[in-house]
Amino acid sequence: MTASRYDVLGIGNAIVDVIARAEDDFLVAQGMHKGAMALIDEARAKAIYDAMGPAMESSGGSAANTIAGVASFGARAAFVGKVRDDELGKAFAHDIRSINVAFDTKPASDGASTARCYIMVTPDGERTMNTYLGAAQDLRPSDIDEAQIAAAEVVYLEGYLWDPPQAKEAFIKASQIAHKNGRRVALTLSDAFCVDRYRGEFLDLIRKGTVDIVFANEHELRSLYETADFAVASMALQKDARLAVVTRSEKGCVVIDKDAMTAVPAAPVEKVADVTGAGDLFAAGFLVGLARGKDHKTAARLGGLAAAEVIQHIGARPAVSLKALAAENGLAV
């Protein structure tokens, strides 16, 4: 086996988040479904930007946020994702490299502009996302570096990137390289609507062992097995997956393997400001724990700690050192 250079390598959409507060009335007026993620074209992106209030920009993307969390834990991190060689693309690359994440994917010199996601945060902390995928969709198998994948303890795949055919091929290539080198592959289901689109393909990835670890929230789990019954869906996932973690907001999470279902309570939260990134940061903590040889319960506690931190402020990336926060809570990594 190649010596590991990274604890976690993420593959996903390289996106710049544009975040603004909004009232529920704004969502209704704009025809947005609260709490969901909608894919939009460039014209709709411009219209939303013109209509929304004051905004803050920060580099985002689901797997990229997870990898930012991995780096905040002091773990070795890398990210693979496509940007255009434009201003937003340069900003994304600068941001992710500045937090000690290896980012070597060559930017596109033509075609669509760098992806961006317009995120409306309502007073209850719920986020509604409108995503223009742009250059992010142009990730190809040629962007997957065999040596880099082989050197990662865990390769983490973002379900949102399952739309473009060439990105699917890139995922499969990365999984094959990882498994050939004795590494583990994780998949986040990303969004219930994403699961609706690709239910059969996601189940195929899980059942065939293309992915070893599955991350889902309750909505995604129920969508995957087309049932409102959490227990029924959990038992189905236990049968299909080698290892899975289902997040349940304030109820914490359930870690599912072939032998057991282990419920782990959520970390305490004073006030929810913005739930953007909660699942992404949970995955970061869990994967760091896994890569560092922690048991599943400890890994889930690390995930819960990271998720609790990120939902108490605006933005989808940690505002404090997760390594220091873990140490304060007796969870040294």
Side-chain angles (χ1 to χ4, degrees):
M1 187 188 289
T2 307
S4 70
R5 200 159 79 241
Y6 309 110
D7 292 297
V8 188
L9 178 146
I11 304 176
N13 286 314
I15 299 175
V16 176
D17 288 338
V18 183
I19 307 168
R21 293 195 177 277
E23 297 296 326
D24 288 75
D25 290 350
F26 178 85
L27 304 185
V28 173
Q30 289 290 324
M32 298 175 186
H33 296 285
K34 186 173 178 176
M37 192 282 285
L39 294 175
I40 58 174
D41 60 18
E42 199 151 11
R44 173 74 170 140
K46 184 180 185 307
I48 290 173
Y49 186 68
D50 289 345
M52 67 196 288
M56 60 175 274
E57 289 182 2
S58 66
S59 295
S62 176
N65 292 336
T66 296
I67 294 305
V70 169
S72 184
F73 273 110
R76 302 164 302 164
F79 180 71
V80 176
K82 202 78 171 179
V83 296
R84 173 75 194 270
D85 60 354
D86 53 18
E87 288 308 308
L88 284 180
K90 288 169 189 167
F92 180 93
H94 170 270
D95 286 356
I96 201 158
R97 288 172 183 149
S98 72
I99 54 173
N100 296 320
V101 173
F103 178 57
D104 302 321
T105 313
K106 188 178 178 184
S109 56
D110 55 20
S113 57
T114 295
R116 48 210 181 266
C117 179
Y118 300 98
I119 303 175
M120 311 300 146
V121 182
T122 39
D124 58 0
E126 186 62 81
R127 84 279 188 263
T128 302
M129 299 180 290
N130 298 270
T131 307
Y132 168 63
L133 288 170
Q137 290 200 291
D138 198 35
L139 187 77
R140 299 171 180 273
S142 57
D143 292 310
I144 302 299
D145 181 273
E146 181 159 358
Q148 193 179 40
I149 299 294
E153 289 284 342
V154 184
V155 174
Y156 179 72
L157 308 175
E158 178 186 319
Y160 281 134
L161 196 56
W162 196 248
D163 281 295
Q166 69 270 19
K168 292 183 186 185
E169 293 169 23
F171 271 17
I172 299 300
K173 178 181 176 181
S175 174
Q176 289 170 342
I177 295 167
H179 285 143
K180 186 174 77 176
N181 287 276
R183 307 302 191 185
R184 288 172 288 188
V185 178
L187 170 72
T188 173
L189 299 186
S190 293
D191 183 282
F193 292 103
C194 193
V195 177
D196 287 342
R197 289 197 298 278
Y198 299 113
R199 181 177 295 108
E201 291 175 62
F202 282 169
L203 283 169
D204 209 37
L205 291 173
I206 296 165
R207 288 168 177 164
K208 287 185 174 177
T210 306
V211 298
D212 309 296
I213 306 153
V214 181
F215 289 93
N217 63 27
E218 285 190 80
H219 301 298
E220 293 151 11
L221 176 66
R222 290 187 174 113
S223 173
L224 187 65
Y225 292 105
E226 298 181 276
T227 175
D229 191 314
F230 179 77
V232 168
S234 297
M235 286 188 284
L237 186 59
Q238 186 176 39
K239 181 181 165 192
D240 287 341
R242 295 176 185 177
L243 175 63
V245 193
V246 182
T247 54
R248 308 187 73 193
S249 300
E250 70 278 359
K251 296 176 189 171
C253 72
V254 179
V255 182
I256 301 172
D257 61 24
K258 294 299 183 188
D259 301 319
M261 293 191 195
T262 307
V264 180
V269 173
E270 286 183 24
K271 187 183 178 190
V272 175
D274 173 14
V275 298
T276 312
D280 302 337
L281 270 293
F282 178 90
F286 191 89
L287 290 171
V288 167
L290 214 59
R292 295 288 174 92
K294 307 293 184 185
D295 61 80
H296 294 164
K297 191 170 182 178
T298 302
R301 287 183 64 203
L302 287 165
L305 201 65
E309 189 282 330
V310 82
I311 66 174
Q312 293 183 80
H313 59 78
I314 293 285
R317 294 191 177 178
V320 301
S321 162
L322 294 179
K323 182 177 182 178
L325 190 63
E328 287 168 22
N329 285 269
L331 292 169
V333 291

